[in-house]
Amino acid sequence: MSGTTVGDIGEERLLRLIAERIGPAAAGEVWAGDDAAVVRSTGDRSLWTTDALVEGVDFDLSYCSGFDVGWKAVAVNVSDIAAMGGRPRHLLATLFVPPSAELAWVEDLLRGLLVAAQRWDASLVGGDISSAPSIGLSVALAGVPAHAPVLRSGARPGDRICVTGALGGAAGGLFLLRKGEADRAPELCRRQLRPEARAEEGVILATLGITSMIDVSDGLLLDLGRLLRAGQVGCSVDPTLVPVDGALQALRKIDGAPKPERLALSGGEDFELLFTVDPRAIERAGELLAEIGTELTEIGRVAEGPRMVGSLALDEWEDKGWDHLKDR
Amino acid sequence: MSGTTVGDIGEERLLRLIAERIGPAAAGEVWAGDDAAVVRSTGDRSLWTTDALVEGVDFDLSYCSGFDVGWKAVAVNVSDIAAMGGRPRHLLATLFVPPSAELAWVEDLLRGLLVAAQRWDASLVGGDISSAPSIGLSVALAGVPAHAPVLRSGARPGDRICVTGALGGAAGGLFLLRKGEADRAPELCRRQLRPEARAEEGVILATLGITSMIDVSDGLLLDLGRLLRAGQVGCSVDPTLVPVDGALQALRKIDGAPKPERLALSGGEDFELLFTVDPRAIERAGELLAEIGTELTEIGRVAEGPRMVGSLALDEWEDKGWDHLKDR
C-alpha cells in the first residue's frame, strides 16, 4: 500500500529531483547542483539566521503534513530576519530523513518550502539531505537590513513596549491538534501549522527607528525577558493589556484547556513582533501598521528599575514560558 | 557518575554559554545573541553551502569525540567552498541534541567547531540548538569567491583531469575505527575523524583558471561522474594512476580489509579536490601546489566520447561509490 520511499530512489536522484523543483537560478547566480550556491550580494551587510524543526519535538506527523513542516521552517526563519528589520533573500535547507520516508511526503515538504520562500520573496538556493533516524529540517536564511539592523539591545527607559497582532493562538492550536480536536478552532490550528511571519511589519518598524525588537517565538514573557536583559533595562508591563487571540475563546468550552490569558502570556510560536519605541513614534507606527491590516498594542514601558509584569517580577513569571530542553 | 547534562542547564543557559565561547563580534558585526547575526558583505558575490553530520550515520560516539564532530562539520563545508575556489568566512551551526547528552561532550563539540573555524579563518557567528532523539550537527557556511567561482560544469574535451593529495585514507580509517583497531594506522583514523579541507589549494587553482572542480566527498568515481555529467563530457581515466594513500598499506595485513586501490577509487570523505584544467596550465598548477606541500596527480583526460575508467564505463563502476541513503 505504501508508495516509493526516499531509500528506493536514493540520494543522487532525490537531489536531482530537488534541483529541478528549485528551477533555474537568478541571472548571474548558481543554485542547487554545485558544491556551493553562488548568490549576488546587495548592500554592505547581511543578516544570517538558522532555525530547525524536529519530528516529535517541534511537530508530530500525526497532525502535520510535509507541506506544513516545509512552510513553517521558512516562516520561523523569516520571522527572525523580520525581528532585525530585514528582508529575507536566500535560504538553504538541510533535510534529515529516514530512508523509509515516503517520497511523496518529502515532495510535499519541498513544496511547502518553495511556496513559503515565494510568499516572502526569498529563494531556496541549495541544501543538503542526510539520512537520519527521524525527520528534521534545518533552514539557514540570509537577508538584508532594510535600514539599520534593529538589535535586541537598544531599549531605553521611557520607551514604550509594543506587540503586533494577538498572542496565544499558536499554542491554543497545538493543544487542539494534540487532542485531535482541530475542528473546534481551525484558525488556531492554522496559526500553529502555517504561521505567518511579520516580514513587512519588521521593515516598517525598522524604518521608523524603533529602539529594539525580538520575535515572540517562545512566549511573550520569555522573549520580553530576553529583550530587556539584552538592553539591561527594567519594565512595567500590564498583563491585562496583552492582546489575546480572539479565537482562543473556543477553548473555554473544553475541559482541561489552558486559559486564553495564560496562553497569550506564555504560549510560543505566534511569531508576532515585540519591540520598544520612543513614545512620540507610537502613533505613526500604529498608522503604518494599520495600513497593512496589522494591529499594534502598547503593553507597557521600559523602566530603569526591576522588570515588573503586573505585581509580579518577570523572573517569577518566566518559568511559565517554554524552555525547549527542559519541558519537552 | 555522569556529569551535568544539556537538559540540566536548559536551552537558555546553554545558548548563553555558547555566546560566551563565540566571543565578541568583529567590528560593525553582531554575532550570537540576537535574532540574526549581522555580518559585513565583501565583494559582489557570496558562496553558500550547508552540510550535516548525523550520529549513527556519519559518525559513531563509540570512536568519535565531540571535538571530532565539531571539527569535521566545519571541514566538510570548507571543502565545498574550496571546491568553488572560495574562501570561507562566516558559519552558522545548528546542533541537534537529546536533553540527556553530557554538557561536557557538547562543550567539546563547540571547541571543535571554533578551532576548525579558526583553522580556516572563518567565524562562527550564530546558530541554533534543538532537542532531538539523537545528535546531529548542521553547518551553513558562507564564503567569497577568490576569483570567478569554479563550477562543476566547465570541463572541455582535451582538459586534463587531476586530483590533489592521495585517496582512500578516510575510508580506511573508518574501517579500522569500526573494527576497534585504530592503533593499526592512526594516520588513517585521523583522516576520517579530523579531515583537512583543501582551502588554500582551491583558491590557487581557481586563480589559475582551471575549468571545473568538485571535492571528493563521496568517492572518486562517484564525484568524477558528477563533474562530467555537469559538464556533459566524457573521459578517459587510468585507474592505475589514481593516487592511493600510502598509509593504506597497513590494511594489507588485516583479514577482510578492503584493498587500498578499491578504497582510493570509491572510498569517501578524503576531501581532496578533483578538477579539470587546460594541459598548458598543469605544470604551473603542480609547481604552485608543491610550494604548499600538496601533490597533484593527472589521472586522465576529458573526452567527447563515453566516460571510461580503464576498460570499464564509469556507470559500471559507479555503484561501487557511496550512496548515503542506499548503503547505510
Side-chain angles (χ1 to χ4, degrees), chain A residues 48-54 58 73 76-77 80 137-140 217-218 226 324-325, chain B residues 11 14-15 18 22 32-35 91-97 106 109 113 124-131 136-138:
Chain A
W48 259 69
T49 191
T50 182
D51 214 337
L53 301 179
V54 176
D58 300 294
V76 301
N77 280 284
D80 280 327
L137 179 60
S138 174
V139 165
S217 54
D218 292 329
R226 288 175 175 151
H324 297 280
L325 296 176
Chain B
E11 183 185 16
L14 185 54
L15 284 172
I18 293 173
I22 287 180
D34 218 301
D35 295 290
L91 55 98
L92 294 174
T94 300
L95 175 64
F96 300 90
V97 64
V106 171
L109 177 142
L113 271 175
L124 179 65
V125 299
D128 182 33
I129 303 170
S130 267
S131 184
L137 179 60
S138 173

mmCIF file of all heavy atoms in Angstrom, chain A residues 48-54 58 73 76-77 80 137-140 217-218 226 324-325, chain B residues 11 14-15 18 22 32-35 91-97 106 109 113 124-131 136-138:
data_model
loop_
_atom_site.group_PDB
_atom_site.id
_atom_site.type_symbol
_atom_site.label_atom_id
_atom_site.label_comp_id
_atom_site.label_asym_id
_atom_site.label_seq_id
_atom_site.Cartn_x
_atom_site.Cartn_y
_atom_site.Cartn_z
ATOM 1 N N TRP A 48 21.979 36.899 9.018
ATOM 2 C CA TRP A 48 22.094 35.454 8.901
ATOM 3 C C TRP A 48 21.408 34.795 10.076
ATOM 4 O O TRP A 48 21.742 35.088 11.221
ATOM 5 C CB TRP A 48 23.572 35.098 9.019
ATOM 6 C CG TRP A 48 24.228 34.829 7.754
ATOM 7 C CD1 TRP A 48 24.500 35.724 6.784
ATOM 8 C CD2 TRP A 48 24.713 33.566 7.335
ATOM 9 N NE1 TRP A 48 25.148 35.074 5.773
ATOM 10 C CE2 TRP A 48 25.286 33.769 6.087
ATOM 11 C CE3 TRP A 48 24.713 32.287 7.893
ATOM 12 C CZ2 TRP A 48 25.860 32.724 5.365
ATOM 13 C CZ3 TRP A 48 25.282 31.261 7.186
ATOM 14 C CH2 TRP A 48 25.847 31.480 5.936
ATOM 15 N N THR A 49 20.522 33.864 9.798
ATOM 16 C CA THR A 49 19.908 33.137 10.906
ATOM 17 C C THR A 49 19.660 31.686 10.532
ATOM 18 O O THR A 49 19.669 31.330 9.349
ATOM 19 C CB THR A 49 18.602 33.822 11.347
ATOM 20 O OG1 THR A 49 18.163 33.261 12.573
ATOM 21 C CG2 THR A 49 17.507 33.657 10.294
ATOM 22 N N THR A 50 19.459 30.857 11.534
ATOM 23 C CA THR A 50 19.139 29.457 11.268
ATOM 24 C C THR A 50 18.223 28.936 12.349
ATOM 25 O O THR A 50 18.302 29.343 13.510
ATOM 26 C CB THR A 50 20.423 28.585 11.179
ATOM 27 O OG1 THR A 50 20.057 27.241 10.865
ATOM 28 C CG2 THR A 50 21.200 28.593 12.480
ATOM 29 N N ASP A 51 17.311 28.075 11.967
ATOM 30 C CA ASP A 51 16.351 27.508 12.917
ATOM 31 C C ASP A 51 15.907 26.170 12.346
ATOM 32 O O ASP A 51 15.832 26.008 11.139
ATOM 33 C CB ASP A 51 15.156 28.451 13.050
ATOM 34 C CG ASP A 51 14.585 28.446 14.459
ATOM 35 O OD1 ASP A 51 14.792 27.463 15.190
ATOM 36 O OD2 ASP A 51 13.912 29.411 14.815
ATOM 37 N N ALA A 52 15.632 25.228 13.229
ATOM 38 C CA ALA A 52 15.341 23.876 12.778
ATOM 39 C C ALA A 52 14.040 23.366 13.393
ATOM 40 O O ALA A 52 13.626 23.802 14.466
ATOM 41 C CB ALA A 52 16.483 22.947 13.175
ATOM 42 N N LEU A 53 13.394 22.429 12.715
ATOM 43 C CA LEU A 53 12.216 21.739 13.239
ATOM 44 C C LEU A 53 12.530 20.245 13.303
ATOM 45 O O LEU A 53 13.074 19.685 12.347
ATOM 46 C CB LEU A 53 11.013 21.956 12.320
ATOM 47 C CG LEU A 53 10.579 23.405 12.087
ATOM 48 C CD1 LEU A 53 9.387 23.450 11.123
ATOM 49 C CD2 LEU A 53 10.211 24.079 13.403
ATOM 50 N N VAL A 54 12.175 19.616 14.413
ATOM 51 C CA VAL A 54 12.479 18.206 14.627
ATOM 52 C C VAL A 54 11.189 17.429 14.917
ATOM 53 O O VAL A 54 10.377 17.862 15.737
ATOM 54 C CB VAL A 54 13.466 18.045 15.811
ATOM 55 C CG1 VAL A 54 13.732 16.579 16.115
ATOM 56 C CG2 VAL A 54 14.775 18.769 15.521
ATOM 57 N N ASP A 58 9.199 19.425 17.604
ATOM 58 C CA ASP A 58 8.549 20.630 17.083
ATOM 59 C C ASP A 58 7.297 20.324 16.272
ATOM 60 O O ASP A 58 6.494 21.215 16.009
ATOM 61 C CB ASP A 58 9.529 21.403 16.197
ATOM 62 C CG ASP A 58 10.759 21.827 16.963
ATOM 63 O OD1 ASP A 58 10.610 22.652 17.873
ATOM 64 O OD2 ASP A 58 11.857 21.323 16.675
ATOM 65 N N ALA A 73 9.234 25.870 8.584
ATOM 66 C CA ALA A 73 10.692 26.026 8.701
ATOM 67 C C ALA A 73 11.148 27.329 8.043
ATOM 68 O O ALA A 73 12.091 27.974 8.506
ATOM 69 C CB ALA A 73 11.410 24.834 8.069
ATOM 70 N N VAL A 76 9.624 30.497 10.396
ATOM 71 C CA VAL A 76 10.303 30.797 11.662
ATOM 72 C C VAL A 76 11.618 31.539 11.403
ATOM 73 O O VAL A 76 12.024 32.394 12.199
ATOM 74 C CB VAL A 76 10.547 29.527 12.514
ATOM 75 C CG1 VAL A 76 9.229 28.836 12.819
ATOM 76 C CG2 VAL A 76 11.495 28.549 11.842
ATOM 77 N N ASN A 77 12.260 31.239 10.292
ATOM 78 C CA ASN A 77 13.495 31.948 9.955
ATOM 79 C C ASN A 77 13.208 33.354 9.425
ATOM 80 O O ASN A 77 13.919 34.302 9.754
ATOM 81 C CB ASN A 77 14.312 31.132 8.947
ATOM 82 C CG ASN A 77 15.102 30.019 9.610
ATOM 83 O OD1 ASN A 77 16.119 30.283 10.240
ATOM 84 N ND2 ASN A 77 14.611 28.791 9.512
ATOM 85 N N ASP A 80 12.751 35.651 12.231
ATOM 86 C CA ASP A 80 13.998 36.136 12.841
ATOM 87 C C ASP A 80 14.605 37.295 12.046
ATOM 88 O O ASP A 80 15.142 38.242 12.618
ATOM 89 C CB ASP A 80 15.030 34.995 12.940
ATOM 90 C CG ASP A 80 14.766 34.082 14.139
ATOM 91 O OD1 ASP A 80 14.290 34.583 15.172
ATOM 92 O OD2 ASP A 80 15.023 32.883 14.022
ATOM 93 N N LEU A 137 14.328 19.270 9.824
ATOM 94 C CA LEU A 137 14.549 20.220 8.738
ATOM 95 C C LEU A 137 15.202 21.461 9.318
ATOM 96 O O LEU A 137 14.640 22.125 10.192
ATOM 97 C CB LEU A 137 13.203 20.584 8.082
ATOM 98 C CG LEU A 137 13.263 21.586 6.936
ATOM 99 C CD1 LEU A 137 14.118 21.089 5.782
ATOM 100 C CD2 LEU A 137 11.843 21.893 6.430
ATOM 101 N N SER A 138 16.411 21.728 8.856
ATOM 102 C CA SER A 138 17.144 22.898 9.323
ATOM 103 C C SER A 138 17.223 23.881 8.164
ATOM 104 O O SER A 138 17.556 23.504 7.052
ATOM 105 C CB SER A 138 18.541 22.456 9.762
ATOM 106 O OG SER A 138 19.323 23.564 10.088
ATOM 107 N N VAL A 139 16.865 25.126 8.418
ATOM 108 C CA VAL A 139 16.925 26.143 7.372
ATOM 109 C C VAL A 139 17.880 27.247 7.817
ATOM 110 O O VAL A 139 17.860 27.650 8.981
ATOM 111 C CB VAL A 139 15.512 26.719 7.078
ATOM 112 C CG1 VAL A 139 15.594 28.006 6.268
ATOM 113 C CG2 VAL A 139 14.676 25.689 6.323
ATOM 114 N N ALA A 140 18.729 27.680 6.919
ATOM 115 C CA ALA A 140 19.561 28.862 7.157
ATOM 116 C C ALA A 140 19.096 29.922 6.174
ATOM 117 O O ALA A 140 18.876 29.634 5.000
ATOM 118 C CB ALA A 140 21.039 28.558 6.955
ATOM 119 N N SER A 217 8.729 33.967 19.814
ATOM 120 C CA SER A 217 8.775 32.575 19.377
ATOM 121 C C SER A 217 8.621 31.616 20.552
ATOM 122 O O SER A 217 8.121 30.515 20.391
ATOM 123 C CB SER A 217 10.082 32.289 18.638
ATOM 124 O OG SER A 217 11.188 32.661 19.422
ATOM 125 N N ASP A 218 9.032 32.025 21.734
ATOM 126 C CA ASP A 218 8.991 31.123 22.890
ATOM 127 C C ASP A 218 8.034 31.585 23.986
ATOM 128 O O ASP A 218 8.103 31.090 25.115
ATOM 129 C CB ASP A 218 10.407 30.963 23.475
ATOM 130 C CG ASP A 218 11.322 30.201 22.514
ATOM 131 O OD1 ASP A 218 10.811 29.340 21.769
ATOM 132 O OD2 ASP A 218 12.522 30.469 22.506
ATOM 133 N N ARG A 226 14.244 38.287 27.455
ATOM 134 C CA ARG A 226 15.441 38.329 26.600
ATOM 135 C C ARG A 226 15.711 39.754 26.097
ATOM 136 O O ARG A 226 16.849 40.221 26.067
ATOM 137 C CB ARG A 226 15.247 37.412 25.385
ATOM 138 C CG ARG A 226 15.297 35.949 25.733
ATOM 139 C CD ARG A 226 14.976 35.094 24.503
ATOM 140 N NE ARG A 226 15.136 33.682 24.832
ATOM 141 C CZ ARG A 226 14.465 32.696 24.262
ATOM 142 N NH1 ARG A 226 13.574 32.948 23.312
ATOM 143 N NH2 ARG A 226 14.667 31.443 24.618
ATOM 144 N N HIS A 324 12.618 24.815 25.641
ATOM 145 C CA HIS A 324 12.557 23.600 24.812
ATOM 146 C C HIS A 324 13.182 22.383 25.477
ATOM 147 O O HIS A 324 12.648 21.299 25.445
ATOM 148 C CB HIS A 324 13.301 23.812 23.493
ATOM 149 C CG HIS A 324 12.705 24.870 22.658
ATOM 150 N ND1 HIS A 324 11.602 24.655 21.885
ATOM 151 C CD2 HIS A 324 13.045 26.144 22.496
ATOM 152 C CE1 HIS A 324 11.299 25.757 21.262
ATOM 153 N NE2 HIS A 324 12.160 26.685 21.608
ATOM 154 N N LEU A 325 14.352 22.582 26.052
ATOM 155 C CA LEU A 325 15.072 21.412 26.519
ATOM 156 C C LEU A 325 14.556 20.893 27.847
ATOM 157 O O LEU A 325 14.684 19.718 28.143
ATOM 158 C CB LEU A 325 16.561 21.723 26.604
ATOM 159 C CG LEU A 325 17.195 22.039 25.264
ATOM 160 C CD1 LEU A 325 18.637 22.432 25.430
ATOM 161 C CD2 LEU A 325 17.090 20.849 24.329
ATOM 162 N N GLU B 11 18.029 25.226 27.707
ATOM 163 C CA GLU B 11 18.398 25.878 26.451
ATOM 164 C C GLU B 11 18.969 27.280 26.666
ATOM 165 O O GLU B 11 19.973 27.660 26.074
ATOM 166 C CB GLU B 11 17.156 25.963 25.558
ATOM 167 C CG GLU B 11 17.447 26.548 24.197
ATOM 168 C CD GLU B 11 16.177 26.751 23.361
ATOM 169 O OE1 GLU B 11 15.075 26.735 23.931
ATOM 170 O OE2 GLU B 11 16.320 26.940 22.155
ATOM 171 N N LEU B 14 22.457 27.284 28.009
ATOM 172 C CA LEU B 14 23.372 26.710 27.020
ATOM 173 C C LEU B 14 23.654 27.726 25.909
ATOM 174 O O LEU B 14 24.796 27.888 25.467
ATOM 175 C CB LEU B 14 22.776 25.419 26.452
ATOM 176 C CG LEU B 14 23.650 24.625 25.482
ATOM 177 C CD1 LEU B 14 25.012 24.303 26.083
ATOM 178 C CD2 LEU B 14 22.964 23.328 25.064
ATOM 179 N N LEU B 15 22.617 28.435 25.481
ATOM 180 C CA LEU B 15 22.813 29.448 24.441
ATOM 181 C C LEU B 15 23.754 30.549 24.922
ATOM 182 O O LEU B 15 24.609 31.031 24.184
ATOM 183 C CB LEU B 15 21.465 30.058 24.020
ATOM 184 C CG LEU B 15 20.597 29.169 23.123
ATOM 185 C CD1 LEU B 15 19.214 29.770 22.937
ATOM 186 C CD2 LEU B 15 21.259 28.967 21.763
ATOM 187 N N ILE B 18 27.294 29.295 24.930
ATOM 188 C CA ILE B 18 27.849 29.264 23.572
ATOM 189 C C ILE B 18 28.217 30.671 23.115
ATOM 190 O O ILE B 18 29.283 30.898 22.543
ATOM 191 C CB ILE B 18 26.852 28.593 22.604
ATOM 192 C CG1 ILE B 18 26.708 27.110 22.965
ATOM 193 C CG2 ILE B 18 27.287 28.770 21.160
ATOM 194 C CD1 ILE B 18 25.632 26.368 22.208
ATOM 195 N N ILE B 22 31.824 31.950 21.798
ATOM 196 C CA ILE B 22 31.993 32.557 20.471
ATOM 197 C C ILE B 22 32.751 33.876 20.607
ATOM 198 O O ILE B 22 33.555 34.236 19.751
ATOM 199 C CB ILE B 22 30.613 32.748 19.786
ATOM 200 C CG1 ILE B 22 30.065 31.384 19.346
ATOM 201 C CG2 ILE B 22 30.708 33.700 18.611
ATOM 202 C CD1 ILE B 22 28.720 31.441 18.661
ATOM 203 N N ALA B 32 26.356 35.830 17.817
ATOM 204 C CA ALA B 32 25.332 35.138 18.609
ATOM 205 C C ALA B 32 24.634 36.078 19.589
ATOM 206 O O ALA B 32 25.237 37.024 20.075
ATOM 207 C CB ALA B 32 25.977 33.992 19.374
ATOM 208 N N GLY B 33 23.369 35.792 19.882
ATOM 209 C CA GLY B 33 22.680 36.510 20.939
ATOM 210 C C GLY B 33 21.556 37.394 20.462
ATOM 211 O O GLY B 33 20.797 37.925 21.267
ATOM 212 N N ASP B 34 21.415 37.591 19.163
ATOM 213 C CA ASP B 34 20.268 38.350 18.670
ATOM 214 C C ASP B 34 19.426 37.426 17.791
ATOM 215 O O ASP B 34 19.676 36.232 17.729
ATOM 216 C CB ASP B 34 20.742 39.603 17.925
ATOM 217 C CG ASP B 34 19.822 40.792 18.209
ATOM 218 O OD1 ASP B 34 18.618 40.673 17.908
ATOM 219 O OD2 ASP B 34 20.305 41.801 18.747
ATOM 220 N N ASP B 35 18.389 37.968 17.134
ATOM 221 C CA ASP B 35 17.540 37.112 16.304
ATOM 222 C C ASP B 35 18.295 36.599 15.083
ATOM 223 O O ASP B 35 18.020 35.510 14.588
ATOM 224 C CB ASP B 35 16.294 37.884 15.868
ATOM 225 C CG ASP B 35 15.422 38.229 17.055
ATOM 226 O OD1 ASP B 35 14.830 37.309 17.627
ATOM 227 O OD2 ASP B 35 15.375 39.411 17.445
ATOM 228 N N LEU B 91 30.108 31.172 9.546
ATOM 229 C CA LEU B 91 29.325 29.948 9.629
ATOM 230 C C LEU B 91 28.295 29.979 10.748
ATOM 231 O O LEU B 91 28.479 30.638 11.776
ATOM 232 C CB LEU B 91 30.225 28.726 9.710
ATOM 233 C CG LEU B 91 31.296 28.576 10.752
ATOM 234 C CD1 LEU B 91 30.748 27.728 11.884
ATOM 235 C CD2 LEU B 91 32.492 27.861 10.142
ATOM 236 N N LEU B 92 27.208 29.289 10.470
ATOM 237 C CA LEU B 92 26.131 29.087 11.427
ATOM 238 C C LEU B 92 26.094 27.597 11.738
ATOM 239 O O LEU B 92 26.273 26.785 10.839
ATOM 240 C CB LEU B 92 24.780 29.456 10.807
ATOM 241 C CG LEU B 92 24.522 30.906 10.430
ATOM 242 C CD1 LEU B 92 23.175 31.012 9.702
ATOM 243 C CD2 LEU B 92 24.503 31.785 11.676
ATOM 244 N N ALA B 93 25.832 27.247 12.985
ATOM 245 C CA ALA B 93 25.762 25.836 13.351
ATOM 246 C C ALA B 93 24.432 25.542 14.031
ATOM 247 O O ALA B 93 23.991 26.297 14.895
ATOM 248 C CB ALA B 93 26.906 25.490 14.293
ATOM 249 N N THR B 94 23.780 24.479 13.621
ATOM 250 C CA THR B 94 22.574 24.021 14.303
ATOM 251 C C THR B 94 22.878 22.678 14.943
ATOM 252 O O THR B 94 23.233 21.721 14.257
ATOM 253 C CB THR B 94 21.409 23.852 13.311
ATOM 254 O OG1 THR B 94 21.157 25.114 12.709
ATOM 255 C CG2 THR B 94 20.152 23.396 14.035
ATOM 256 N N LEU B 95 22.740 22.645 16.255
ATOM 257 C CA LEU B 95 23.040 21.426 16.997
ATOM 258 C C LEU B 95 21.738 20.739 17.407
ATOM 259 O O LEU B 95 20.866 21.355 18.010
ATOM 260 C CB LEU B 95 23.842 21.783 18.250
ATOM 261 C CG LEU B 95 24.142 20.631 19.204
ATOM 262 C CD1 LEU B 95 25.028 19.591 18.546
ATOM 263 C CD2 LEU B 95 24.793 21.164 20.478
ATOM 264 N N PHE B 96 21.618 19.482 17.042
ATOM 265 C CA PHE B 96 20.502 18.650 17.479
ATOM 266 C C PHE B 96 21.032 17.783 18.595
ATOM 267 O O PHE B 96 22.037 17.085 18.412
ATOM 268 C CB PHE B 96 20.006 17.785 16.324
ATOM 269 C CG PHE B 96 19.529 18.587 15.153
ATOM 270 C CD1 PHE B 96 20.402 18.947 14.143
ATOM 271 C CD2 PHE B 96 18.210 19.010 15.072
ATOM 272 C CE1 PHE B 96 19.981 19.711 13.069
ATOM 273 C CE2 PHE B 96 17.768 19.768 13.995
ATOM 274 C CZ PHE B 96 18.662 20.116 12.995
ATOM 275 N N VAL B 97 20.377 17.815 19.743
ATOM 276 C CA VAL B 97 20.957 17.115 20.885
ATOM 277 C C VAL B 97 19.860 16.646 21.847
ATOM 278 O O VAL B 97 18.912 17.372 22.131
ATOM 279 C CB VAL B 97 21.981 18.056 21.582
ATOM 280 C CG1 VAL B 97 21.322 19.280 22.154
ATOM 281 C CG2 VAL B 97 22.795 17.339 22.612
ATOM 282 N N VAL B 106 29.097 18.330 24.678
ATOM 283 C CA VAL B 106 28.655 19.438 23.819
ATOM 284 C C VAL B 106 29.693 20.560 23.822
ATOM 285 O O VAL B 106 29.970 21.177 22.789
ATOM 286 C CB VAL B 106 27.270 19.951 24.271
ATOM 287 C CG1 VAL B 106 26.882 21.223 23.541
ATOM 288 C CG2 VAL B 106 26.215 18.864 24.054
ATOM 289 N N LEU B 109 32.419 19.555 21.510
ATOM 290 C CA LEU B 109 31.974 19.771 20.129
ATOM 291 C C LEU B 109 32.135 21.244 19.756
ATOM 292 O O LEU B 109 32.620 21.583 18.666
ATOM 293 C CB LEU B 109 30.515 19.320 19.986
ATOM 294 C CG LEU B 109 29.848 19.538 18.629
ATOM 295 C CD1 LEU B 109 28.927 18.365 18.294
ATOM 296 C CD2 LEU B 109 29.046 20.825 18.586
ATOM 297 N N LEU B 113 34.284 22.985 16.762
ATOM 298 C CA LEU B 113 33.738 23.947 15.796
ATOM 299 C C LEU B 113 34.604 25.202 15.745
ATOM 300 O O LEU B 113 34.973 25.689 14.669
ATOM 301 C CB LEU B 113 32.338 24.391 16.234
ATOM 302 C CG LEU B 113 31.112 23.618 15.789
ATOM 303 C CD1 LEU B 113 29.873 24.198 16.454
ATOM 304 C CD2 LEU B 113 30.947 23.692 14.272
ATOM 305 N N LEU B 124 32.441 31.585 13.535
ATOM 306 C CA LEU B 124 31.125 31.076 13.914
ATOM 307 C C LEU B 124 30.319 32.277 14.400
ATOM 308 O O LEU B 124 30.688 32.912 15.391
ATOM 309 C CB LEU B 124 31.275 30.043 15.041
ATOM 310 C CG LEU B 124 29.983 29.428 15.586
ATOM 311 C CD1 LEU B 124 29.281 28.599 14.517
ATOM 312 C CD2 LEU B 124 30.266 28.550 16.803
ATOM 313 N N VAL B 125 29.246 32.637 13.693
ATOM 314 C CA VAL B 125 28.524 33.870 14.038
ATOM 315 C C VAL B 125 27.151 33.615 14.650
ATOM 316 O O VAL B 125 26.468 34.558 15.054
ATOM 317 C CB VAL B 125 28.384 34.810 12.818
ATOM 318 C CG1 VAL B 125 29.754 35.222 12.303
ATOM 319 C CG2 VAL B 125 27.563 34.177 11.708
ATOM 320 N N GLY B 126 26.737 32.367 14.723
ATOM 321 C CA GLY B 126 25.434 32.124 15.333
ATOM 322 C C GLY B 126 25.013 30.699 15.126
ATOM 323 O O GLY B 126 25.783 29.870 14.648
ATOM 324 N N GLY B 127 23.775 30.418 15.514
ATOM 325 C CA GLY B 127 23.300 29.057 15.360
ATOM 326 C C GLY B 127 22.039 28.828 16.133
ATOM 327 O O GLY B 127 21.317 29.756 16.495
ATOM 328 N N ASP B 128 21.779 27.579 16.404
ATOM 329 C CA ASP B 128 20.517 27.190 16.992
ATOM 330 C C ASP B 128 20.747 25.849 17.694
ATOM 331 O O ASP B 128 21.619 25.076 17.303
ATOM 332 C CB ASP B 128 19.492 27.037 15.858
ATOM 333 C CG ASP B 128 18.114 26.672 16.344
ATOM 334 O OD1 ASP B 128 17.736 27.107 17.449
ATOM 335 O OD2 ASP B 128 17.411 25.950 15.617
ATOM 336 N N ILE B 129 19.969 25.619 18.748
ATOM 337 C CA ILE B 129 20.007 24.315 19.409
ATOM 338 C C ILE B 129 18.600 23.739 19.371
ATOM 339 O O ILE B 129 17.646 24.445 19.686
ATOM 340 C CB ILE B 129 20.408 24.445 20.888
ATOM 341 C CG1 ILE B 129 21.761 25.134 21.019
ATOM 342 C CG2 ILE B 129 20.464 23.081 21.547
ATOM 343 C CD1 ILE B 129 22.061 25.493 22.460
ATOM 344 N N SER B 130 18.490 22.483 19.006
ATOM 345 C CA SER B 130 17.191 21.820 19.002
ATOM 346 C C SER B 130 17.280 20.522 19.765
ATOM 347 O O SER B 130 18.230 19.763 19.577
ATOM 348 C CB SER B 130 16.760 21.494 17.570
ATOM 349 O OG SER B 130 15.982 22.516 17.035
ATOM 350 N N SER B 131 16.314 20.284 20.582
ATOM 351 C CA SER B 131 16.186 18.983 21.206
ATOM 352 C C SER B 131 15.879 17.969 20.101
ATOM 353 O O SER B 131 15.143 18.268 19.166
ATOM 354 C CB SER B 131 15.041 19.058 22.214
ATOM 355 O OG SER B 131 14.928 17.851 22.905
ATOM 356 N N GLY B 136 22.955 15.516 16.080
ATOM 357 C CA GLY B 136 23.224 15.917 14.705
ATOM 358 C C GLY B 136 23.807 17.317 14.721
ATOM 359 O O GLY B 136 23.603 18.076 15.679
ATOM 360 N N LEU B 137 24.553 17.634 13.701
ATOM 361 C CA LEU B 137 25.144 18.963 13.619
ATOM 362 C C LEU B 137 25.099 19.410 12.169
ATOM 363 O O LEU B 137 25.670 18.773 11.289
ATOM 364 C CB LEU B 137 26.598 18.924 14.110
ATOM 365 C CG LEU B 137 27.380 20.235 14.063
ATOM 366 C CD1 LEU B 137 26.719 21.300 14.930
ATOM 367 C CD2 LEU B 137 28.817 20.010 14.519
ATOM 368 N N SER B 138 24.373 20.491 11.941
ATOM 369 C CA SER B 138 24.251 21.034 10.596
ATOM 370 C C SER B 138 24.989 22.369 10.570
ATOM 371 O O SER B 138 24.800 23.192 11.460
ATOM 372 C CB SER B 138 22.767 21.228 10.281
ATOM 373 O OG SER B 138 22.596 21.887 9.060
#
